[in-house]
Amino acid sequence: MPQDNKRNNTGRPAAGKTVYNTIAKSTRQLALEAMVSIMENGEYCDKVLHSILEKYPLEQRDRAFLMRLVEGTVERCIELDYVIDRYSKLPVAKQKPMVREILRLAVYQIMYMDQVPDSAACNEAVKLACTNHLIPLKGFVNGVLRNVVRFYEDTPYPKAKDEVRHLSVWYSMPEWIVTRFIDQYGFEKTEVILQNFLQEDRGISLRCNLSRASKDEITTSLQNQGVKVESGKLFPVSLHIKNYGRLGDLEAFKNGWVQVQDESSLIVGAAAPVDESSVVIDVCAAPGGKSIHLADKMNGEGLIRACDLTKDKVSLIRQNLIRTGFHNVKLKKHDAMEFLPEWEKTADVVIADLPCSGLGVIGHKADIKYKTKLQDIKTLAQQQKKILQTVYRYVKPGGILLYSTCTIAPEENEQQAEWIRQNLPFEPVSLEDIVPAAAKCETAGNGYIQILPDLAGGDGFFLAAFRRKELGDNGKDGY
C-alpha cells in the first residue's frame, strides 16, 4: 500500500499513513463496535476482528481499512488520549465510553491515515455519535476534533528529560512497562524496543515445513501469488511475508508447506534433540507451531503428545495438523497442572512453553500492554512453577526440558530458569551450538537466552534448556 514520509512539526514520523478512498460508513461503525469490545470490555483484539470479519463479508478495501483503523488505534491509544486531553475540556478518562472510542478512532485517522481527509474524519465521527444515540454530544465531538485538526501538529510532547513519561506518550506504552524496561535495559535500549513494537507493515513470519516442500519451492509459490518474500534473519527455515491478502488463499499455506510462527520462537525447535524415534510431550501446545516444527524435524515419525487446556485450543492444533498433514502428533485436552502417571519418565523432550505476561509480543498484539498488570507477572510466575513441578516428571533421565515464554520479564524468565536449576533434578544445557549468530549472547553457554523484540523485527522470546540428571545409585533422581 502506498506510503509517504511526511513528518509533523514534532519531528515524529507519520507512521506510514495509508491511502484509502471513500470508506463505507458501516465499516467505521464496525470499527467503533470493535473498539468498545476491546478497550472498554477487555476482549482480545484479534478475536474481536476475526469475529467481525467472519460475520460481515467486507470487500478487501473495507477489510483492510477496518483492520488498519482498529489495530492502529489500539496500538497508539496512549498517545491519542494525550492529544485528545490537550484539546478537550473533559478528560478522556471521564468521557462516555462510546464517545471516547469515537474520538480515538477519529484522531487516529487525522494523525496517521493520509487520504482520509481531516474533514471526513470529523464528519464521520459526528455521524457515529448520532447513529449511536449521542446526538446531544455531537457538538462536543465536533469541537474536540476541529481543535485537534488545527493544533495537533504543534502539540508539545513530554520532554526527553522526563524519561518515563516521554517514552510512554511517544510510543504509547504504559508507564509501568516503560519503567521496568529502563531498569532492565537502560533508556536507549528501551527506546529501540519500543520503536520495534510500533514497526509499521511488519508482515508475518512463516516457518517452512521442509519435509513437505523445499524453501525454494515455497518461496516460488508465494511469489507467484504476488507475495513479497524475504528470508528470515535468524533461522534459514523462516520466511517473512508481506502483501499477502488472505493467508488462507495462499497455496503454500493450504498445502501445509508453511506454518505461521514468529522467527524468535523457532529456537525451541532448533534446541530440541529429536530424531525419528523420539517421544516428545508439548504441554501447552496451542496453536501447535512448536509441535509441528518437531513433527517436521522428525519427518512425521516418532511420537509427539500435544495437549492444552480447552477444547477450542485443542481444535486449533487439530486444524493445523490436518492442514499440514502430520500424523505423529496425538492430541489431548488436559490441564498441565494435573499429573498424568502414564506419562511419567516417557519423554525424550518436554516442551513447556507456558502461559506468560506476553510482554514480548506487544508488537502484533498491542492490547496486551493494556490488559497486563504488574501483579499478573507475579501470579503467572507462581503458576509457571506449579506447572513445572508437574511436567518435569514426564522427562526421562537424560532427557531434555525446554522452558520458554514470549515475554521479557525476568521473574518469568531468568529467575524461573534459576529456580528450575535449584529445585528440580536438572542441569543446564549449553545453547551455544544452536543459537543463531545474530543472537549470540553470554548466557547461551549457561543454558538460556533472551531474544529481544528488535533482534529480528519480531517477538521477544525466552528459552532455557535443561537435561534431567541420571538415576543415582539409590534409584532416585540425583541432585
Side-chain angles (χ1 to χ4, degrees), residues 271 273 348-350 395-396 398-402 426 429 465-468:
D348 299 290
V349 177
V350 166
V395 185
K396 294 178 180 177
I400 299 297
L401 170 68
L402 297 175
F426 288 86
V429 176
F466 298 89
R467 179 178 291 106
R468 185 163 185 173

Side-chain angles (χ1 to χ4, degrees), residues 217-237:
E217 287 177 304
I218 295 168
T219 299
T220 299
S221 174
L222 292 168
Q223 291 175 335
N224 287 343
Q225 289 190 265
V227 179
K228 182 179 179 181
V229 184
E230 297 177 352
S231 290
K233 298 179 181 179
L234 299 179
F235 294 96
V237 296

Side-chain angles (χ1 to χ4, degrees), residues 1 18-24 27 30 53 56-69 71 113 201 225-227 242-250:
M1 290 183 280
T18 306
V19 178
Y20 292 99
N21 295 319
T22 303
I23 304 297
T27 309
L30 292 175
L53 293 173
Y56 300 95
L58 300 177
E59 296 288 337
Q60 178 59 35
R61 179 193 64 180
D62 290 352
R63 178 188 178 96
F65 179 82
L66 175 69
M67 296 280 289
R68 171 67 190 276
L69 179 55
E71 292 178 343
M113 298 180 77
D201 193 23
Q225 289 190 265
V227 179
K242 300 178 181 178
N243 305 331
Y244 54 88
R246 291 175 182 266
L247 186 66
D249 292 337
L250 300 179

Side-chain angles (χ1 to χ4, degrees), residues 31-43 97-98 101:
L32 175 59
E33 293 172 5
M35 286 298 298
V36 171
S37 295
I38 297 161
M39 298 304 296
E40 307 295 341
N41 299 335
E43 298 180 38
M98 191 73 74
E101 302 308 334

Side-chain angles (χ1 to χ4, degrees), residues 140-161:
F140 170 77
V141 169
N142 185 63
V144 171
L145 294 178
R146 297 296 175 184
N147 282 334
V148 171
V149 168
R150 287 198 297 270
F151 302 120
Y152 83 89
E153 290 187 341
D154 297 316
T155 299
Y157 281 72
K159 301 296 183 183
K161 63 181 181 181

